[in-house]
Amino acid sequence: MVWCKSIDEIIDMKFICNPMQDKIKEIREQSNAFEIIDLESAEQYRLKFLVKKGLINLLFQEFRSVEPEKKKKFGAELNVLKKELESKHKEGLQSLNKSESNEDNTSLDLPAYFNDLGSRHPISHTIEHMTEIFERLGFDVVSGPEIEDDWHNFSALNFPKNHPARDMQDTFFVDKDHALRTHTSSVQVRLMENTKPPIRSIMPGRVYRNEAISARSNCFFHQVEGLYIDEEVSFSDLKQTLYQFVQEFFGPDTKVRFRASYFPFTEPSAEMDIYLGLETESDARLTKGTGWLEILGCGMVDVNVLENCGIDPSKYTGFAFGLGVDRIAMLKYGVKDLRTFFYNDKRFLSQFSSL
Ligand code: PHE
């Protein structure tokens, strides 16, 4: 056995007796003895060893007063220890995560998680169906803002200054000059102002009116309005387009009728009804006992409106129409209360998930 030690070894021996060396050893031992078994113990480990006031940082503070010639050795050892502790914490957390996800994947007894798949809203679906039919008839789709100024929602459309539709009771005003649009005819004005005829477009969108909320009416609803402007567009073009639409949407045998009506922005104006009959109780209710259900307003664009929008009425004529989407969706899906479309109740909406 060789008892004699080299100078280096003797210096090393001295280090072994150094308090810093002892502390490094002790902390390492404490760390090794610490078991990270769950999130709570992982956090306790972090608090004990790794935070600013934890053991490793205390040691770094003491390190400042170590004699200069020993700094290199202890500095290196301290850094190794710090890395060790950090990776123990990190690996502890990782294996906790893993074991959690293993549980989910491997336990065959657990009930399966079913992802709720979203579906198109019945109102969106109705708008899409309408749009698709009008696109086939040569209409394109345009949209516009829901907050409108007086000009686009009313004045350009020939509403007299004292027209009741401007009244606070019908319109949600945002400020003195702006309101939530009460119809998508405002988009027609924007289109006419910015486009040279021929124009053949539909404007689907949400509109707002300050109406009492009930099973049949709401303070917001949806419209698909349409506009066709070109040379020699006539009322019979209007009728033909709407007939075509109704036959595609409601079926080839659907009976319709036009009734004379009034809108400030069309002249002549009409409303179109479809015949539902009186066979079921709900038909009777929806049609108020007549068998006929009004589904749209329409007419030839008023000369004043064309002029307001910079279109020459001596050269161009046009027709416009506006369909109410929500009522048609009620009819299509047999929904008795309009409000149920907008409660966002999954039990209601999931019934349309195959659309
Ligand atoms: N803007 C009308 C409404 O909201 C509908 C309509 C559009 C009527 C175009 C005629 C022509 O009631």
Side-chain angles (χ1 to χ4, degrees):
M1 197 179 262
V2 181
W3 287 102
C4 176
K5 291 189 183 291
S6 71
I7 294 290
D8 278 352
E9 277 175 306
I10 290 169
I11 292 172
D12 250 7
M13 294 269 293
K14 259 174 77 192
F15 278 135
I16 290 170
C17 305
N18 185 293
M20 184 59 125
Q21 187 74 46
D22 288 346
K23 282 181 186 157
I24 291 178
K25 197 168 158 240
E26 195 192 318
I27 292 181
R28 179 170 282 120
E29 276 168 11
Q30 283 192 31
S31 161
N32 287 344
F34 200 116
E35 279 187 69
I36 298 184
I37 44 164
D38 54 18
L39 284 178
E40 204 186 319
S41 53
E43 182 59 6
Q44 276 163 6
Y45 183 88
R46 192 182 71 86
L47 293 174
K48 177 165 181 183
F49 295 101
L50 300 175
V51 294
K52 211 167 162 213
K53 289 200 171 141
L55 290 179
I56 192 79
N57 265 345
L58 288 181
L59 221 51
F60 269 105
Q61 273 164 27
E62 273 182 43
F63 173 73
R64 284 196 213 128
S65 51
V66 163
E67 301 112 79
E69 68 275 11
K70 296 175 192 163
K71 275 215 150 102
K72 199 170 165 211
K73 182 180 167 59
F74 282 137
E77 280 197 30
L78 265 179
N79 279 326
V80 169
L81 178 66
K82 188 176 177 198
K83 287 228 167 68
E84 253 176 61
L85 301 187
E86 283 171 350
S87 40
K88 174 163 175 151
H89 181 244
K90 199 168 148 206
E91 280 159 20
L93 281 179
Q94 276 168 357
S95 70
L96 284 178
N97 275 344
K98 235 190 253 156
S99 62
E100 255 175 34
S101 55
N102 274 351
E103 259 170 41
D104 286 353
N105 294 337
T106 52
S107 170
L108 301 178
D109 302 334
L110 284 176
Y113 291 111
F114 290 104
N115 286 333
D116 273 345
L117 284 182
S119 58
R120 278 175 297 164
H121 192 280
I123 295 284
S124 305
H125 189 262
T126 309
I127 292 179
E128 277 167 31
H129 187 188
M130 290 177 169
T131 303
E132 183 228 321
I133 294 172
F134 282 114
E135 276 177 341
R136 266 189 277 130
L137 292 173
F139 287 78
D140 56 20
V141 180
V142 292
S143 58
E146 293 190 10
I147 295 179
E148 266 300 3
D149 50 35
D150 177 273
W151 171 256
H152 291 98
N153 198 75
F154 295 125
S155 297
L157 289 163
N158 209 26
F159 277 84
K161 272 280 172 229
N162 54 359
H163 194 282
R166 291 174 180 239
D167 199 292
M168 289 297 273
Q169 270 158 26
D170 272 319
T171 308
F172 289 112
F173 286 92
V174 174
D175 60 29
K176 193 161 75 22
D177 306 312
H178 295 89
L180 297 179
R181 67 181 177 195
T182 60
H183 49 185
T184 55
S185 305
S186 53
V187 187
Q188 303 190 9
V189 175
R190 290 181 178 275
L191 189 63
M192 286 188 275
E193 284 174 337
N194 297 314
T195 326
K196 234 181 128 294
I199 296 171
R200 203 192 298 187
S201 304
I202 55 165
M203 312 73 201
R206 183 174 283 194
V207 302
Y208 303 83
R209 286 185 205 169
N210 193 359
E211 274 170 23
I213 297 170
S214 71
R216 281 173 57 89
S217 76
N218 207 345
C219 56
F220 66 88
F221 53 99
H222 300 80
Q223 290 186 322
V224 172
E225 293 214 356
L227 178 71
Y228 181 20
I229 295 186
D230 202 349
E231 293 175 26
E232 293 177 15
V233 174
S234 67
F235 200 90
S236 61
D237 295 322
L238 167 62
K239 281 179 107 175
Q240 182 58 35
T241 305
L242 295 176
Y243 275 141
Q244 189 71 34
F245 168 78
V246 165
Q247 276 164 24
E248 293 249 355
F249 192 92
F250 294 102
D253 300 326
T254 313
K255 270 204 291 180
V256 303
R257 73 177 182 193
F258 283 85
R259 279 178 295 105
S261 183
Y262 169 78
F263 299 101
F265 37 89
T266 46
E267 181 58 36
S269 305
E271 280 171 325
M272 193 175 93
D273 304 334
I274 59 171
Y275 190 68
L276 291 187
L278 286 168
E279 274 164 33
T280 67
E281 202 188 302
S282 104
D283 286 348
R285 196 170 31 80
L286 267 174
T287 64
K288 293 184 187 146
T290 64
W292 291 96
L293 182 75
E294 181 222 313
I295 58 159
L296 62 87
C298 60
M300 300 305 290
V301 181
D302 194 288
V303 173
N304 291 343
V305 174
L306 292 175
E307 275 172 355
N308 287 341
C309 301
I311 290 177
D312 180 0
S314 63
K315 189 163 177 213
Y316 295 107
T317 51
F319 67 72
F321 57 87
L323 283 143
V325 175
D326 308 54
R327 271 242 217 121
I328 291 178
M330 280 173 86
L331 196 65
K332 186 169 166 189
Y333 300 117
V335 171
K336 293 198 175 69
D337 187 332
L338 180 67
R339 293 168 291 191
T340 47
F341 281 131
F342 307 110
Y343 288 144
N344 278 343
D345 185 332
K346 270 168 58 182
R347 288 169 303 177
F348 173 76
L349 293 174
S350 62
Q351 298 176 84
F352 304 93
S353 59
S354 62
L355 293 177

